[in-house]
Amino acid sequence: FSILLGGFLSSRKLKLKGIITGILQGLTYMIILYILSSLLSHDFSLGTESIAMILSGIVCGGLGGIIGANLKN
């Protein structure tokens, strides 16, 4: 939910290119989350579950960006 909201708020503020803004927001969030969790668990392996989580974060960010850029005041 936080990725969707982040994409929404960032594209709402910029009011252009909502999908790109949202995708970048989601990707940034997921990369930070992956690095922090890998540091805490001492395991930097990138399995199918990690890839699925990263992709879902990117999709949610893009969706939030689309909604935020196209929503009327």
Side-chain angles (χ1 to χ4, degrees), residues 29-71:
Y29 184 87
M30 292 309 293
I31 287 174
I32 291 170
L33 184 65
Y34 175 74
I35 290 172
L36 288 176
S37 65
S38 295
L39 286 172
L40 291 174
S41 69
H42 302 291
D43 181 24
F44 281 91
S45 64
L46 192 63
T48 56
E49 292 175 0
S50 299
I51 293 172
M53 284 180 45
I54 291 170
L55 288 176
S56 66
I58 291 170
V59 168
C60 286
L63 183 62
I66 291 170
I67 294 169
N70 293 316
L71 197 64

